[in-house]
Every structure is written in structure tokens, then in C-alpha cells.
Amino acid sequence: MHDSTDNLDGDHMPHDDDPPRSDDGPRIDERFMSAALDLAQTAMDADEVPVGAVVVRGGRVIGRGFNQRQTLHDPTAHAEMLAITAAAESVGDWRLDDCTLYVTLEPCAMCAGAIVLARIRRLVYGATDPKAGACASLYTIPTDPRLNHQVQVTCGILEAPCSAILKEFFARQRALGKK
């Protein structure tokens, strides 16, 4: 639950005129993960795997994305990739070294690689992905010391609702005989 000091509008997004705030801390992490969850719901409403992501800089969302692989007929249209691209366009630079990426599901190898390549400072994710997760479950790409950039990783923020939306989606898909 958010109180009035959160300065959130109906979408759980910061107002453009809010003063910049730190994007660290559990309360802030929950605030931005809620924004990512809203985007996951948008994906689910579009019959996409419900994953949402936001990139935050200075307490403001500068990039948003949700899975659109089916819609765009693009295997790379993951929430993280779209959010990173939007953030880079927003700031006019591919380096996002002072940013935090919030995503509802542990990133895959492609997305984890993009996170490292974008020089994102911090990754926060909700649910783990034992079948494709590349941040802790199967691989540890963002923290691999052999790479030229390491990312701080925080997992388990709003894990229950992040997991629940995925379970609901796949239960629906199985009931329809789709996936």
C-alpha cells in the first residue's frame, strides 16, 4: 500500500514534476516494481507473457516495456529490451550507468547481456525463472567478474504478485490448449 507521500498518480508512476529521489531502498523498490507489474498486466491483457519492466534514473521512470513478442512478431521484444531501448532514447545515450532496471521476472541470457552492455548500475527483479533465468537461476551474467561491467542484483521484490500473474497467465493458456 502506498501513502500520500509516495507522490504517485493512478498508474503508480512518479509525476513528471516530482523532485528526483533515490532509487534505492525497499520501499522505493516496491514502488517501481508495482509500476513494472502494471506493465505486466498490460502484456497479459494483450495475450503476451506477462512481464513488465521500467528503467529508473534519479527517482524517475525513463523507460518502460512489456513483452510484445507475439504482437511485434519479434523474438527479442522482451520487456527488458524494450524498456532499455526506450531509456536510451530518452537520455540520448546507450550508457545507462546511473540507472536501475525493475523487471517482474528474472531476465534471460539475452536480456541479462543487454543489461550488462547498457552498463545498468542495478537490476531488481521479482520472480525467479528456473527454466531461463540468467541472473541467478541458471547463470549469473550480470555479476560475472569476467565481464567488463558488473550489475548489482536484488531479487524477490514483490515476488508473490510477480509469480502469481505468470501462473495465472499460463493456467489460462493451458485451459485454452495454447501453451
Side-chain angles (χ1 to χ4, degrees), residues 26-43:
R27 194 155 170 249
I28 297 298
D29 287 349
E30 289 179 6
R31 171 185 174 198
F32 289 114
M33 188 61 73
S34 286
L37 268 166
D38 289 345
L39 291 165
Q41 183 63 54
T42 301

Side-chain angles (χ1 to χ4, degrees), residues 75-78 81 108-115 134 141:
T76 68
H78 289 201
M81 301 294 283
C108 69
M110 173 183 67
C111 294
I115 292 163
I141 292 170

